[in-house]
C-alpha cells in the first residue's frame, strides 16, 4: 500500500465536470438511486484511490502481462549468466501457479493454451531446475508436441531458441544489421514501422548479425519439445498469404547474399545501430520503456563487448530490475510501467468525484504530470513532423523519444477540467502537438503519423501482425475529447475530420473496435465520450445503434464483461462480448458511454450501478479476474491493476452528478 498524500482543500466545492456537462448539454436527469449506498461507495473508492497515491503526487499501479514476460526474464538471466537463484525461484512459483489445466500457458487468464508462451515457460522452468519428468512439465511437453512442437512457435520464440542453440539460425527471419542503413524510399525502413517495433528490431539486428549465443551456464536444452530434430526442420515459415510468399522468396535470396556484404559495411552498420539505440537508452527507464526492447539492448551491449560495469549496461540492467514485482514467495516482471496513464486517469476520476479531498489529490497528480511534459527533446515523431513543437507526455516515467498521443490527450483533458488557466501553456502545447500528429485519414495513432504501410505486416518477422501503429478509434476519440472540449476556432477542421473518421470506423451493428482495451465495450465508451465532448448530437441513429448494442451485451448480473475472444473474429459477436465474467471497469466503461449518450435514467444504467455497488470490496476497491486489455490483439494481453479502482469511481461519481441536485461529495 502506498502512502496517501493529503493537502489543503477549499471550503466550497465547484461544479464537477459531470455537472458542467449536464448544464452544457441539457441532458435529462436520471431517476434517483439509493443516495446513501451510492455516496458511501464513492467515498470508499475515493479514499482507496487517494491512499494509493505516491508521495510525489503520482499513481503507478502494477501492470501485469502473461507468463511470457517473466519467463523471458529468467531466460535473459541465463543468456547473460547473471542468475539470481532466489529471484528465479519466486518467478518459478508464479509461472507454475498460472498453468492451464491442460498443461499449457495462455496469453490471458481463462484463455486457451498458447504454444509459444508454453515453450518459453517450459524452457524457463527447466532452466531454473524443474524436473522435466515432473507432472506439470510432462503435461506442458505433451501440449507442445500435440500442437506440432516448438518449431511451430512464433518468430520471437524461435529467435530465443536460436540464441540458445536449440534451432539453427535459418529458422528465424533474416534481420541483418544493414536494415538500419536502408533509405527512406526503400520497401522497408525502420521509421515505417511502429516505435515498439523499431526499438525491438534495431538491437535485435545486432544480435542476429553476430549470431549471439546464450551462455546457458547450466547447459539446459529442450530438444524434447520438437517433433522433428531441429536441424532437419524445413518448414519454419508457413506461408500466410501470397504477399508473404513473395517476401519469403526475397528473404531467401537476401540470406544467400549475406556472405557478399563487405566487412567495412557490416562494421559501419553495427556502429550505426549501436549509436541509434544508445541514444535512446533512456537512462534507468530503458530503451523505449518496454521490456522486449530493453532485453535486446542489454544483450546487444554485451555482444558488442561492453563490460558489466559500463554505464550503458548498468543503466540497462537497472531499467530491467525496475520492472520486477517481487513478493515473499512469488515474483513476476512487468512489460513496462504506467505512471502517466494511471495518474491521468486517477485525476479524471477524482475530478469527477469533486470533493475537496479528491480535488486536492487530483491537483497533486496534475502538478506531477506538469513536470513530465516532453517539450524540446528530439523524438522519432519528428521524422515526419520536423518543425512541430513538442508537447506530449510518455506513458512511462520517462520515454522522451516516444511521447504517447493517448496519454497526452488524457493528461491535457484532465488539466482542462481542473484549471484551464493554471495549465494553459501545457494544454496549448499538448493540443498543438496532437493537431500536428493527426493522420491523413483524420484519425490519431499512438505514437506516429500515417504509420500504415500495411504490406509490412506480411514480412516473415511480422507473424504477430502488430508491426505498425495506424490510427485507431479509441486514441482518436480521446484526442477528440480534448480538442472538442477546448473548441479552439483553429481546430475546427481537425475536429471535423476526426469525427468523420470515427463515424467511418463504426461497426455495422453499432460498436467501435477497441485497440488498447478489450474491446468493443472499450472502443464504444471511448468514442461516445469523445463525440459528446465535441458537442456531437448523440440522438442520431448511428449513436443510438451504439447505445442499443451496449444494452444488448449487458449481462444478467447487471454488469458488462467482454472476453479477449472477441479479438479472434473480424466482427463483433454478442456471445464474445458476454462471455467473460462481468468486471468493474468494463461495467464502468459501458456506464460512462451510456451516460455520455444521455441514457442516464435507463434500466441498464441503474442495473450497472447496482452491480458496482454490490461488488465493491470493504476497502473501497473492486476485484476483477483476468487480463482484459491487449498490448497487441491476439498476441499479447495486459492487466492494469488500477482499472478496478479509478474507472468504477469515475462512473459512480458521474452517475451521482447526473442525479437531480447531484453534487460532489
Amino acid at each position: 500500500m502506498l502512502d496517501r498524500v493529503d493537502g489543503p482543500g477549499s471550503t466550497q466545492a465547484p461544479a464537477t465536470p459531470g455537472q458542467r456537462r449536464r448544464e452544457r448539454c441539457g441532458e435529462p436527469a436520471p431517476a434517483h438511486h439509493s443516495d446513501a449506498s451510492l455516496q458511501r461507495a464513492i467515498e470508499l473508492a475515493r479514499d482507496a484511490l487517494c491512499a494509493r497515491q505516491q508521495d510525489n503526487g503520482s499513481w503507478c499501479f502494477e501492470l501485469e502481462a502473461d507468463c511470457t514476460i517473466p519467463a523471458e526474464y529468467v531466460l535473459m538471466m541465463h543468456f547473460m549468466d547473471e542468475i539470481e537463484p532466489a529471484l528465479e525461484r519466486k518467478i518459478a512459483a508464479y509461472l507454475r501457479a498460472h498453468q492451464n489445466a491442460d498443461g499449457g500457458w495462455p496469453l490471458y487468464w481463462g484463455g486457451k493454451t498458447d504454444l509459444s508462451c508454453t515453450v518459453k515457460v517450459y524452457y524457463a522452468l527447466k532452466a531454473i531446475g524443474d524436473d522435466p519428468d515432473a507432472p506439470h512439465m510432462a503435461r506442458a511437453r505433451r501440449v507442445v508436441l500435440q500442437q506440432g512442437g516448438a518449431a511451430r512457435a512464433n518468430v520471437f520464440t524461435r529467435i530465443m531458441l536460436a540464441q540458445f542453440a536449440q534451432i539453427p539460425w535459418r529458422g528465424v527471419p533474416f534481420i541483418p544489421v544493414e536494415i538500419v542503413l536502408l533509405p527512406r524510399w526503400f520497401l522497408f525502413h525502420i521509421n515505417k514501422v511502429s516505435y515498439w517495433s523499431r526499438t525491438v528490431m534495431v538491437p535485435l539486428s545486432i544480435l542476429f548479425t553476430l549470431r549471439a549465443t546464450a551462455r546457458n551456464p547450466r547447459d539446459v536444452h529442450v530438444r524434447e519439445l520438437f517433433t522433428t530434430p531441429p536441424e532437419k526442420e524445413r518448414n519454419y515459415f508457413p506461408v500466410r498469404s501470397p504477399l508473404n510468399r513473395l517476401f519469403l522468396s526475397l528473404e531467401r535470396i537476401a540470406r544467400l547474399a549475406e556472405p557478399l556484404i563487405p566487412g567495412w559495411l557490416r562494421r559501419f552498420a553495427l556502429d550505426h545501430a549501436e549509436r541509434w539505440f544508445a541514444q535512446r537508452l533512456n537512462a534507468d527507464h530503458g530503451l523505449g520503456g518496454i521490456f522486449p526492447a530493453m532485453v535486446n539492448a542489454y544483450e546487444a551491449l554485451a555482444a558488442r563487448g561492453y563490460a558489466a560495469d559500463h554505464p550503458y549496461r548498468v543503466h540497462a540492467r537497472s531499467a530491467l530490475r525496475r520492472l520486477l514485482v517481487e513478493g515473499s514467495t512469488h515474483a513476476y516482471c512487468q512489460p513496462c510501467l504506467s505512471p502517466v496513464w494511471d495518474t491521468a486517469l486517477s485525476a479524471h476520476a477524482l475530478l469527477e468525484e469533486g470533493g475537496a479531498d479528491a480535488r486536492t489529490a487530483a491537483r497533486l497528480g496534475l502538478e506531477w504530470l506538469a513536470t513530465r511534459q516532453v517539450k524540446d527533446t528530439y523524438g522519432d515523431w519528428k521524422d515526419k513532423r520536423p518543425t512541430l513543437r513538442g508537447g506530449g507526455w510518455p506513458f512511462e516515467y520517462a520515454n522522451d523519444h516516444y511521447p504517447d498521443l493517448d496519454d497526452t490527450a488524457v493528461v491535457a483533458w484532465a488539466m482542462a477540467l481542473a484549471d484551464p488557466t493554471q495549465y494553459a501553456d501545457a494544454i496549448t502545447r499538448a493540443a498543438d502537438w496532437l493537431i500536428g500528429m493527426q493522420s491523413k485519414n483524420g484519425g490519431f495513432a499512438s505514437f506516429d503519423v500515417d504509420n500504415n504501410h500495411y504490406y509490412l505486416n506480411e514480412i516473415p518477422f511480422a507473424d504477430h501482425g502488430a508491426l505498425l501503429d495506424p490510427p485507431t478509434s479509441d486514441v482518436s476519440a480521446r484526442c477528440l475529447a480534448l480538442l472538442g472540449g477546448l473548441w479552439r476556432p483553429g481546430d475546427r477542421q481537425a475536429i471535423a475530420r476526426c469525427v468523420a473518421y470515427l463515424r467511418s470506423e463504426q461497426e455495422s451493428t453499432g460498436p467501435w473496435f477497441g485497440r488498447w482495451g478489450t474491446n468493443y465495450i472499450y472502443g464504444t465508451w471511448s468514442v461516445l465520450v469523445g463525440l459528446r465532448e465535441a458537442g456531437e448530437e448523440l440522438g442520431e441513429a448511428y449513436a443510438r445503434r451504439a447505445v442499443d448494442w451496449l444494452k444488448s451485451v449487458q449481462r444478467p448480473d447487471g454488469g458488462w464483461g467482454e472476453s479477449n475472444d472477441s479479438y479472434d473474429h473480424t466482427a463483433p459477436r454478442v456471445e464474445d462480448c458476454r462471455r467473460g465474467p462481468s468486471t468493474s471497469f468494463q461495467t464502468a466503461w459501458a456506464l460512462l458511454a451510456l451516460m455520455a449518450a444521455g441514457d442516464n435514467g435507463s434500466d441498464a444504467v441503474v442495473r450497472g450501478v447496482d452491480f458496482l455497488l454490490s461488488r465493491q470490496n470493504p476497502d473501497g476497491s473492486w476485484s476483477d479476474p483476468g487480463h482484459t486489455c491487449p498490448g497487441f490483439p491476439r498476441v499479447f494481453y495486459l492487466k492494469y491493476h488500477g482499472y478496478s479502482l479509478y474507472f468504477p469511481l469515475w462512473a459512480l461519481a458521474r452517475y451521482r452528478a447526473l442525479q437531480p441536485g447531484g453534487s460532489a461529495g
Side-chain angles (χ1 to χ4, degrees):
M1 183 73 70
L2 301 176
D3 293 334
R4 177 177 176 177
V5 178
D6 291 309
S10 63
T11 58
Q12 183 175 358
T16 67
Q19 290 172 290
R20 294 199 298 270
R21 186 176 299 101
R22 188 177 68 196
E23 293 166 1
R24 184 175 72 246
C25 302
E27 295 169 338
H32 273 287
H33 201 77
S34 173
D35 291 342
S37 60
L38 177 63
Q39 182 67 20
R40 178 60 176 161
I42 291 172
E43 290 173 354
L44 283 171
R46 176 201 63 205
D47 292 346
L49 184 57
C50 289
R52 287 163 171 80
Q53 190 171 29
Q54 301 188 53
D55 290 341
N56 62 7
S58 69
W59 282 266
C60 188
F61 292 90
E62 291 178 27
L63 179 56
E64 193 171 1
D66 62 83
C67 287
T68 58
I69 299 295
E72 286 170 0
Y73 195 97
V74 170
L75 294 167
M76 179 269 294
M77 290 194 290
H78 287 255
F79 182 97
M80 299 292 293
D81 192 10
E82 296 176 354
I83 299 171
E84 300 176 55
L87 173 62
E88 68 174 12
R89 284 195 296 271
K90 292 180 180 180
I91 293 177
Y94 175 90
L95 295 174
R96 295 186 206 108
H98 290 87
Q99 189 175 22
N100 273 350
D102 68 359
W105 279 265
L107 294 180
Y108 50 90
W109 298 338
K112 63 180 182 294
T113 285
D114 179 77
L115 172 63
S116 299
C117 180
T118 302
V119 170
K120 285 184 178 178
V121 176
Y122 180 96
Y123 205 154
L125 288 174
K126 188 174 180 181
I128 291 168
D130 281 20
D131 185 346
D133 292 326
H136 69 287
M137 296 290 279
R139 291 199 309 273
R141 184 168 59 253
R142 183 166 56 250
V143 165
V144 170
L145 295 175
Q146 287 172 347
Q147 295 193 23
R152 301 280 77 79
N154 65 21
V155 161
F156 287 111
T157 303
R158 295 205 308 273
I159 290 172
M160 177 275 294
L161 292 170
Q163 290 176 321
F164 277 79
Q166 303 305 292
I167 67 172
W169 281 97
R170 62 176 173 79
V172 305
F174 187 58
I175 320 171
V177 72
E178 287 77 18
I179 62 172
V180 300
L181 304 178
L182 294 172
R184 297 175 188 276
W185 54 261
F186 196 71
L187 195 65
F188 177 88
H189 186 272
I190 59 170
N191 285 338
K192 288 183 176 179
V193 300
S194 65
Y195 115 77
W196 57 81
S197 298
R198 72 183 76 112
T199 55
V200 167
M201 290 180 76
V202 171
L204 182 59
S205 72
I206 294 176
L207 294 170
F208 174 88
T209 299
L210 299 178
R211 305 305 195 262
T213 302
R215 296 186 180 181
N216 197 7
R218 295 174 183 166
D219 197 31
V220 176
H221 301 271
V222 290
R223 289 181 65 88
E224 67 270 20
L225 296 184
F226 293 86
T227 59
T228 300
E231 62 277 5
K232 295 182 179 180
E233 176 68 49
R234 288 289 179 265
N235 188 28
Y236 283 106
F237 298 96
V239 176
R240 306 194 303 269
S241 70
L243 184 56
N244 175 247
R245 184 188 299 275
L246 173 62
F247 280 126
L248 284 168
S249 298
L250 294 174
E251 181 183 89
R252 291 190 188 100
I253 295 170
R255 201 184 290 265
L256 291 172
E258 185 180 17
L260 303 178
I261 297 174
W264 65 266
L265 182 60
R266 172 135 291 182
R267 290 188 295 273
F268 178 78
L270 285 166
D271 290 343
H272 182 85
E274 181 187 307
R275 285 194 303 271
W276 188 94
F277 82 75
Q279 291 170 358
R280 295 163 173 78
L281 276 177
N282 203 20
D284 289 337
H285 304 285
L287 177 62
I290 53 175
F291 175 81
M294 293 157 65
V295 168
N296 288 346
Y298 186 54
E299 294 176 357
L301 288 169
R304 289 285 281 166
Y306 283 87
D309 60 354
H310 190 280
Y312 283 175
R313 278 189 60 178
V314 171
H315 283 306
R317 188 75 180 93
S318 174
L320 289 162
R321 290 287 307 178
R322 286 164 58 92
L323 297 177
L324 292 172
V325 175
E326 189 170 359
S328 58
T329 59
H330 292 65
Y332 73 91
C333 182
Q334 301 172 97
C336 57
L337 302 176
S338 56
V340 171
W341 187 242
D342 286 332
T343 302
L345 291 170
S346 295
H348 273 279
L350 292 168
L351 289 169
E352 191 70 53
E353 197 280 336
D357 288 346
R359 286 185 290 109
T360 296
R363 290 293 288 268
L364 287 170
L366 293 175
E367 289 299 311
W368 179 81
L369 286 167
T371 67
R372 318 306 294 184
Q373 191 172 25
V374 181
K375 298 179 179 180
D376 302 314
T377 302
Y378 186 90
D380 284 6
W381 56 271
K382 277 187 173 287
D383 179 67
K384 289 187 176 179
R385 295 291 186 268
T387 63
L388 181 62
R389 184 177 70 160
W393 276 268
F395 179 80
E396 304 87 354
Y397 282 104
N399 194 8
D400 287 1
H401 272 81
Y402 305 107
D404 185 320
L405 277 73
D406 210 355
D407 286 79
T408 299
V410 173
V411 172
W413 180 18
M415 288 179 168
L417 292 171
D419 194 331
T421 301
Q422 177 180 345
Y423 300 111
D425 180 66
I427 295 168
T428 297
R429 292 188 69 122
D432 290 347
W433 185 69
L434 290 173
I435 290 288
M437 295 293 288
Q438 190 172 25
S439 289
K440 292 176 183 177
N441 64 3
F444 294 84
S446 296
F447 301 93
D448 287 296
V449 179
D450 296 320
N451 193 262
N452 53 4
H453 300 277
Y454 292 108
Y455 65 87
L456 289 175
N457 275 329
E458 299 299 326
I459 66 175
F461 178 80
D463 65 348
H464 47 79
L467 202 67
L468 307 175
D469 181 20
T472 62
S473 295
D474 44 7
V475 176
S476 300
R478 275 182 287 280
C479 293
L480 179 64
L482 169 65
L483 300 173
L486 297 178
W487 200 247
R488 304 182 303 178
D491 297 344
R492 290 177 182 173
Q493 183 179 4
I495 290 171
R497 292 175 59 223
C498 187
V499 170
Y501 165 78
L502 290 173
R503 293 192 63 164
S504 73
E505 288 291 302
Q506 187 178 20
E507 301 284 340
S508 61
T509 52
W512 279 268
F513 179 85
R515 165 62 181 83
W516 295 103
T518 305
N519 171 347
Y520 295 104
I521 295 173
Y522 180 86
T524 305
W525 157 66
S526 302
V527 174
L528 289 179
V529 169
L531 292 171
R532 169 60 78 191
E533 292 296 317
E536 289 295 302
E537 175 53 61
L538 297 187
E540 293 187 26
Y542 82 97
R544 301 320 298 174
R545 287 202 309 275
V547 168
D548 291 343
W549 180 85
L550 280 171
K551 292 179 178 179
S552 76
V553 298
Q554 188 174 22
R555 294 171 58 82
D557 60 10
W560 279 264
E562 181 176 350
S563 166
N564 286 310
D565 294 345
S566 65
Y567 285 111
D568 293 336
H569 305 99
T570 57
R573 305 193 315 170
V574 170
E575 57 267 34
D576 291 332
C577 299
R578 297 184 67 180
R579 181 172 295 165
S582 296
T583 65
S584 66
F585 54 90
Q586 288 177 317
T587 300
W589 295 338
L591 289 173
L592 289 166
L594 292 172
M595 289 186 283
D599 215 53
N600 314 314
S602 69
D603 178 68
V605 169
V606 172
R607 291 174 59 225
V609 170
D610 282 339
F611 171 83
L612 291 180
L613 297 181
S614 67
R615 300 302 176 93
Q616 189 177 27
N617 296 323
D619 69 352
S621 66
W622 283 262
S623 299
D624 292 307
H627 299 69
T628 47
C629 288
F632 305 109
R634 299 183 298 278
V635 176
F636 182 62
Y637 295 93
L638 304 168
K639 179 181 177 65
Y640 289 83
H641 285 237
Y643 279 18
S644 297
L645 187 49
Y646 44 71
F647 279 121
L649 172 59
W650 191 348
L652 292 176
R654 173 75 55 82
Y655 179 78
R656 180 183 64 184
L658 293 175
Q659 300 294 306
S663 63

